[in-house]
Amino acid sequence: MKTYSRLLIIPALVAGLHVASAADITGTVTLNGTPPPEKVNDLIKNDPICGKLHSEPVKTQFYVVGSKGELRDVIITLKGVSGGSTGESAPPVVLDQKGCEYVPQILAIQTNQKLVVKNSDPVLHNVHTTPTVAGNKEQNKAQMQGGPDVSFSFPNPEKALRFKCDVHQWMFAWVTVIDSPYFAVTDKAGNFKIANVPPGKYTIEATHRKAGTVSKEIEVKADNATTDFTLEAPKPQ
Ligand SMILES: [Cu+2]
């Protein structure tokens, strides 16, 4: 009995030490310059069912920026950190179909993490994955209105794996699959947080689908680390 309780205590101590020595990386991503105007999606407007689901014109979401350039939808990763995916046990990530659009349109998940797709619309969608990395499966799942959720997972890392709907040709989502739990996607305030990063020196990358990628070096010690990024809007033509 004595030996048994000692065995239990040691892993608890090790786990406690591990958490104490890991730190969060936080920061903000800002877009410098004025992004090109978003385009109105006339296809949604002219669709007899989808058009009625919107009272305002639907626009592309290429650059979602705040008043000070705070940039949403930027994927922050630690370059060269692979392995250690906890995707199989991580909570699922949810992708909704609402107003005949994917919500959100930019996501990141771990390898083997479940991605649950919902249909909140009064219309049939089909969820068609179009991976380009071998081993990640192309799948095409019809989803009736009010139908059950459908789920996906991918075993291999892939940047911007495209999801599309063959019923509505404008519907796309871009899912980056990462072989590690150390990543984040910026919110509408441009903020991100990568939690519980082990100490070490890293190259941290910020990637936006339209504004491209910038990277920096960062050292994580016992304390939390902060780093901000600036991406450039395209020059007006
Ligand atoms: Cu659809």
Side-chain angles (χ1 to χ4, degrees):
M1 189 61 195
K2 209 171 175 182
T3 313
Y4 180 64
S5 58
R6 194 174 294 155
L7 280 176
L8 279 178
I9 288 166
I10 291 169
L13 278 175
V14 171
L17 283 174
H18 178 73
V19 170
S21 65
D24 299 341
I25 305 175
T26 56
T28 305
V29 182
T30 306
L31 185 76
N32 184 40
T34 306
E38 302 292 340
K39 296 187 177 76
V40 173
N41 186 336
D42 287 325
L43 294 168
I44 285 194
K45 193 174 76 185
N46 297 332
D47 184 280
I49 299 172
C50 299
K52 290 196 176 67
L53 302 175
H54 294 272
S55 52
E56 302 283 327
V58 177
K59 293 183 178 176
T60 51
Q61 297 178 21
F62 294 149
Y63 292 92
V64 181
V65 287
S67 59
K68 298 187 180 95
E70 308 93 323
L71 186 59
R72 201 186 75 182
D73 296 332
V74 182
I75 297 174
I76 314 294
T77 54
L78 299 182
K79 200 176 169 190
V81 175
S82 66
S85 169
T86 59
E88 277 179 31
S89 59
V93 171
V94 175
L95 172 60
D96 199 3
Q97 297 164 107
K98 200 169 184 185
C100 299
E101 291 195 289
Y102 284 112
V103 182
Q105 295 176 12
I106 304 289
L107 303 89
I109 59 173
Q110 292 190 61
T111 50
N112 298 314
Q113 184 172 17
K114 196 188 251 189
L115 177 67
V116 172
V117 183
K118 295 182 171 299
N119 184 0
S120 297
D121 282 335
V123 63
L124 165 83
H125 293 293
N126 83 314
V127 189
H128 187 172
T129 65
T130 62
T132 56
V133 168
N136 289 341
K137 236 164 68 185
E138 178 172 2
Q139 287 182 284
N140 198 342
K141 298 184 182 182
Q143 197 174 24
M144 302 291 291
Q145 58 197 83
D149 298 345
V150 292
S151 51
F152 301 85
S153 67
F154 303 94
N156 296 321
E158 179 162 348
K159 284 185 179 169
L161 193 165
R162 190 182 64 168
F163 278 52
K164 59 186 282 223
C165 175
D166 297 324
V167 183
H168 306 107
Q169 59 182 290
W170 59 84
M171 282 181 70
F172 296 105
W174 307 89
V175 180
T176 290
V177 186
I178 298 166
D179 189 17
S180 134
Y182 305 121
F183 60 85
V185 184
T186 55
D187 61 18
K188 66 178 182 185
N191 292 331
F192 68 87
K193 173 178 161 181
I194 305 179
N196 294 323
V197 180
K201 289 183 177 173
Y202 301 97
T203 301
I204 183 168
E205 267 189 353
T207 300
H208 183 267
R209 194 163 74 90
K210 295 288 179 183
T213 298
V214 290
S215 64
K216 285 185 168 188
E217 304 305 311
I218 188 168
E219 180 166 11
V220 175
K221 297 179 180 169
D223 294 336
N224 292 344
T226 303
T227 190
D228 297 330
F229 291 94
T230 303
L231 288 161
E232 298 294 327
K235 301 263 178 293
Q237 308 225 322

